[in-house]
Amino acid sequence: EAPWLGIGRGAFEPAFTRVHDASAYITFSHLENEYIQIIVEWGVPGAIAIALLLAWCITIAARRWRDGPLAAAAIGACAAIMFQNSVDFSVELLGVAVPALLVATTLLSPGVRETRSKLPRLARAGLLVGLLAAAVVIPLAATRSIQEDHDWLTQHDAATLDDMRGVMARHPLDYLAYGKAAALLMASGDPAAAKFLNHALLLHPTHPGLHRLAARTLIASGRRAQGAVEYALALHGTLAPKSMVAEIVTLLPDPDQAATAIPPDAANPAQILRSLHELNHDDIAERWLLRIVTTAQHDLATIDTLYALAMDRRDLPIAEIAARRRLAESRTNQSRLMLARAMFREEQFDQVLKDLADVPSWTGRIDVQTDAWLLMCDTQIEKREWDHALECLHRLDGSPILAVSRHGEVTRRISIVNENRTAEAKQKAIEELERALGSRPKQ
């Protein structure tokens, strides 16, 4: 965007936020390549000039490689730093830059000799004047760095709009002053806040705080659907979502609308689910997971989470949707068992028996086979088909797939069947006796 003059020395951070999504949660002060950094900051002509200067320094230094081990070591050190900075920016750090400069001077120094020329004195005088000028200019507000202005803005809550305009004038590509100005004007209900907020979002499109501010403003003005969209954008760049999730469920009481405020491709779904559970809003979690399962890229673990949540809340239609989605994506016995459990809870017993009719021929995990057998037996118990239920349980009890630790589950069910069948037989005998007594003629 600025090939001739570059973006300016030290201006990489605010310029980079507009083009790199990860800037939402991490700050990038430099590129990982010092040579590309020079082109970006100084432009193509400036980079060419610096390259020519570097080539001149290399030419002079290379002539001294035979001057002894110290010169050779200095050349090796400088070469190592130059190579390392093709994947780093270590010379930006004072602890590396100063030693590197001292080592380089041992190679570039022409040596000490007496001279009557006035040029060295003039050079030293020029250097002294430059240092004095720098000492005068550096304390001025016009020379503040971005970091200094950031620190000042975040530490001074009483900053005025004029103060923020001064920061904008010094750093027109930085978002923070515009965002602070928007927050200040919104607090007083000034409609000009939208202008500053829009410009801040233009400079930093993924900043979660800016989108959160926009969401609050939109919801306060009655535009809840747009506010939900802004919250979704804010959560994209939030690594610790609990406070924002709490704000969403408070400002958006409608569960369906609150679910749309959480992006389906959020980077931290486990934290979001935990936050919703702690806030007693599993209803929103269920609707959010359903959106992921039906509209976004997902894995089987997401479907399993939705299924477990729906079954726990007895939201059986959602549980069946999750189970059928899992079966469509993974035609395994586990998927078939999950669907059968949902239909069992819905009391669709005939369909359960139909779907599990081939359980004896299942292969694979024996715990899944055992669970399917037990579910089929439970279905027959619910239908009060005692003979079929006993046959099912005895077949499972004699099957090699039944673990020793699970024999108690079968025994307990057999006892239940026997008790119910005995009670039913007694009740039937009593009813027959009552009918017989009622049909005898009175004496």
Side-chain angles (χ1 to χ4, degrees):
E1 294 180 354
W4 291 103
L5 298 178
I7 62 174
R9 180 66 174 165
F12 178 79
E13 178 186 336
F16 198 51
T17 57
R18 294 183 293 110
V19 297
H20 195 57
D21 290 347
S23 297
Y25 46 84
I26 189 170
T27 298
F28 294 87
S29 61
H30 291 79
L31 289 166
E32 297 289 331
N33 184 304
E34 187 63 41
Y35 306 104
I36 298 177
Q37 183 82 22
I38 291 172
I39 299 174
V40 171
E41 289 187 339
W42 297 96
V44 175
I48 292 174
I50 294 173
L52 291 174
L53 181 61
L54 180 61
W56 176 72
C57 293
I58 293 173
T59 301
I60 294 176
R63 295 173 184 170
R64 303 192 59 184
W65 73 281
R66 295 191 181 189
D67 287 1
L70 290 179
I75 292 174
C78 291
I81 292 173
M82 289 176 61
F83 176 77
Q84 192 257 351
N85 274 268
S86 64
V87 292
D88 201 359
F89 51 92
S90 63
V91 293
E92 302 289 340
L93 307 176
L94 198 62
V96 177
V98 171
L101 181 61
L102 293 175
V103 171
T105 56
T106 65
L107 297 172
L108 303 179
S109 174
V112 179
R113 62 179 184 275
E114 294 185 4
T115 178
R116 297 181 181 274
S117 174
K118 294 182 179 181
L119 290 178
R121 295 180 181 179
L122 293 175
R124 287 194 290 271
L127 178 60
L128 181 60
V129 172
L131 291 174
L132 291 174
V136 173
V137 172
I138 286 176
L140 299 178
T143 60
R144 284 183 187 170
S145 67
I146 288 178
Q147 188 59 52
E148 289 174 329
D149 275 332
H150 275 202
D151 293 340
W152 188 86
L153 283 173
T154 54
Q155 294 171 7
H156 290 75
D157 294 332
T160 65
L161 185 60
D162 290 336
D163 294 329
M164 296 169 189
R165 290 185 186 276
V167 177
M168 297 173 197
R170 286 191 294 275
H171 310 294
L173 293 181
D174 185 38
Y175 72 93
L176 184 61
Y178 292 95
K180 286 282 188 179
L184 180 66
L185 294 176
M186 284 178 183
S188 61
D190 192 325
K195 177 182 177 182
F196 286 100
L197 181 57
N198 286 335
H199 193 73
L201 284 168
L202 179 66
L203 297 175
H204 200 329
T206 59
H207 193 284
L210 297 175
H211 286 291
R212 193 175 190 174
L213 185 61
R216 291 172 178 171
T217 305
L218 290 167
I219 292 174
S221 63
R223 289 175 283 183
R224 295 180 179 272
Q226 289 178 273
V229 173
E230 290 294 334
Y231 269 127
L233 293 172
L235 277 174
H236 266 299
T238 304
L239 296 180
K242 184 174 181 179
S243 63
M244 194 175 299
V245 169
E247 186 174 307
I248 289 172
V249 301
T250 302
L251 297 182
L252 296 174
D254 180 18
D256 290 318
Q257 203 166 57
T260 63
I262 305 175
D265 55 345
N268 41 16
Q271 295 183 45
I272 292 174
L273 286 173
R274 184 165 57 251
S275 299
L276 288 170
H277 180 70
E278 292 173 356
L279 295 166
N280 296 319
H281 276 286
D282 285 337
D283 54 340
I284 297 176
E286 185 181 288
R287 287 166 172 79
W288 175 56
L289 289 172
L290 184 61
R291 285 183 60 218
I292 298 176
V293 168
T294 56
T295 63
Q297 190 174 18
H298 57 271
D299 52 18
L300 291 182
T302 304
I303 300 178
D304 292 347
T305 303
L306 173 61
Y307 175 84
L309 184 60
M311 291 287 281
D312 185 60
R313 299 185 66 248
R314 300 192 64 83
D315 195 342
L316 301 180
I318 299 299
E320 183 178 346
I321 291 174
R324 292 191 181 280
R325 174 69 65 167
R326 194 187 200 281
L327 184 60
E329 297 181 14
S330 177
R331 300 193 65 81
T332 62
N333 291 338
Q334 178 67 33
S335 300
R336 294 180 60 189
L337 176 60
M338 290 171 64
L339 178 58
R341 281 175 172 161
M343 300 184 73
F344 177 84
R345 295 277 289 271
E346 292 178 313
E347 299 184 359
Q348 299 185 35
F349 300 128
D350 291 336
Q351 188 63 44
V352 172
L353 292 175
K354 180 180 178 181
D355 291 343
L356 298 182
D358 61 340
V359 166
S361 64
W362 282 17
T363 58
R365 290 173 49 183
I366 60 174
D367 59 327
V368 174
Q369 296 180 56
T370 302
D371 289 340
W373 267 105
L374 288 173
L375 182 61
M376 184 168 61
C377 298
D378 287 341
T379 304
Q380 291 166 339
I381 292 173
E382 290 295 327
K383 293 187 67 177
R384 309 184 73 82
E385 296 178 351
W386 310 121
D387 293 336
H388 291 304
L390 279 176
E391 180 185 357
C392 174
L393 290 167
H394 284 303
R395 288 182 64 187
L396 176 59
D397 196 36
S399 172
I401 67 170
L402 184 66
V404 176
S405 59
R406 304 193 68 176
H407 273 286
E409 299 179 44
V410 177
T411 303
R412 185 170 60 254
R413 286 172 169 81
I414 291 175
S415 298
I416 292 173
V417 171
N418 287 330
E419 290 174 2
N420 280 278
R421 187 166 65 168
T422 301
E424 192 174 280
K426 289 182 178 179
Q427 182 63 32
K428 186 176 181 181
I430 292 172
E431 291 175 355
E432 290 179 354
L433 180 59
E434 289 177 347
R435 283 198 299 270
L437 293 174
S439 62
R440 290 177 61 185
K442 294 181 179 181
Q443 295 297 326

